[in-house]
Amino acid sequence: MNPLLLFLTLFATSALGANPPYGQLGISGKYLVQASSGQQVQLRGMSLWWSQWMPQFYNADTVNALKNSWNANVVRAAMGVESGGYLDNKQSEIQKVYAVIDAAIAAGIYVVVDWHDSNAQYHQNDAIQFFANISQKYNGNPHIIYEIFNQPQAVSWSSIKPYHLAVIAAIRANDPSNVIVVGTPNWSQFVDEASDNPITGQTNIAYSLQFAAGTHGQWNRDKVQYALNKNLPIFVTQYMTVNTDGFGSVNQGEMNAWWTLLDQNKISHLNWAIEDKDEPTAALWPGTNAQQVGDDSKLTPSGQLVKNKLKSYPAGTSAPPSGSSPAPATTTTKAATTTKATTTTKAGTVTPPSGTPSTPYGQLGISGKYLVSAATGLPVQLHGMSLFWSQWMAQFYNQATVTALKCSWNTNVIRAAMGVESGGYLDNKQAELQKVYAVIDAAIASGIYVVVDWHDHNAQYHQNDAIQFFTNISQKYGNYPNIIYETFNEPLQVSWSSVLKPYHQAVIAAIRANDPNNVIVVGTPNWSQYVDGKKCFISYFLNNLEAKKR
């Protein structure tokens, strides 16, 4: 061979690293396939944790351990976007992802490059920039899989589809072939919605599914089967063996049911996560380092269960046994479309009628760290139940529910969760507002307190709507001591000082213009868990009341 040609051949082989197990991938029907042969394949492996908080695992030691000890043929690099991630530190964060991609290429396994964001529709330009960089740098590497929106929240498929199309176009300008995984509504659980209106005019597109075994059961598998029956290609980019909040015990029974469905349909899957955080979803005990990822003594119960599952697959092959048949299809009835309200009527101030039952402690206030009776100054404790999102469990927004909670459950507070996105207040202002009015009226009639909750994860983007809503409530009910205002249910990974505090101050001012006394509860960062800046998890006394698990 010509020496120059030999050098170029060796250089090209070195640059591309080791070939991944199936070479170039593609999508055919509902399956991930080997592009050259059309063979149906299944990837299985582990996701890393948010890049900005677990950088110690973004290296070749972790990737090699996952391949050689865990029998993984794919790893996921979770590019943290908010809260000190890519938006704040573009170069340092992208270098972490580059390190994992380079390690995966060298090891000869696939790598999912994940835009780990729950609000990606608000960060579209940044996502386009990020994926343009990745697709330019690694164009020609069959190892790469792009995951362009980790967890869309309670938003409609139609509202995030334009985002997907824009980011797909940016990737395809550089990389015409590699698989792209798009996020689906409700934290990538509602693949059935995407199957009713899939992306067209594009090739090699898969749809993300995520689940938590302790929370998402047969009802969600039914949604998956509905989508599969419509030939939708599904890729499980993230699953947990415990509850959706990352806590609870490993649910092996539900995991086995999920793995059966995934294996029968050759659906690829990644477990969340390679982390040494002190929570049950972590695969590693606290203090574990990258050099110890392959050490079984460092595995938590979740890590042990998942590693055993990965090792049960034949090395280097697509896992599912032949002859398995998918579970029978289930019929899903679509809810009727609700007409969008165009006007909102301002509520007038109401004087409490004589004979209204008094509340247990009368007017409430805050003294130091305590909730107190304003009349006596003595600390008090409320205990009760929260209703589910108003747009999805309207059947409980009535007097019968409130009466039962007071008389049978011994609660002294109820929470009306005003759903904001996904068919909630933003789409149907008057209809949703009337549901909350019904619960408030019932609580006043029953003589208990009521938390009026703006049930939103993106309230900073809906500030004017929140001000309008709480203005209505405070004008109508500001004279009642029963009312407690909750102005932001669950802020995500956002800053307290620069994002949340200005929002809260604006909404508080709107409430105080009508109601100078009643207690206002403000949301804190990280799903209202970070009250001290030290990631302290706070357990709520308000639990979800729902007819079934969603």
Side-chain angles (χ1 to χ4, degrees), residues 260-309:
T260 296
L261 176 67
L262 302 183
D263 288 348
Q264 284 177 344
N265 292 281
K266 298 188 178 180
I267 297 174
S268 300
H269 52 82
L270 293 126
N271 176 247
W272 181 264
I274 290 295
E275 52 167 314
D276 68 334
K277 192 166 179 276
D278 187 15
E279 64 180 24
T281 194
L284 307 169
W285 289 116
T288 304
N289 60 43
Q291 292 75 34
Q292 299 169 318
V293 170
D295 183 348
D296 287 358
S297 70
K298 300 297 184 179
L299 300 180
T300 65
S302 181
Q304 291 170 4
L305 178 67
V306 174
K307 184 174 182 179
N308 287 339
K309 174 63 177 176

Side-chain angles (χ1 to χ4, degrees), residues 412-426:
N412 59 9
V413 63
I414 187 171
R415 181 176 181 242
M418 166 58 75
V420 176
E421 297 179 309
S422 296
Y425 182 83
L426 298 182

Side-chain angles (χ1 to χ4, degrees), residues 502-521:
Y503 164 88
H504 289 314
Q505 288 172 331
V507 179
I508 288 169
I511 293 172
R512 288 297 183 233
N514 303 304
D515 182 343
N517 297 316
N518 281 338
V519 170
I520 301 173
V521 181

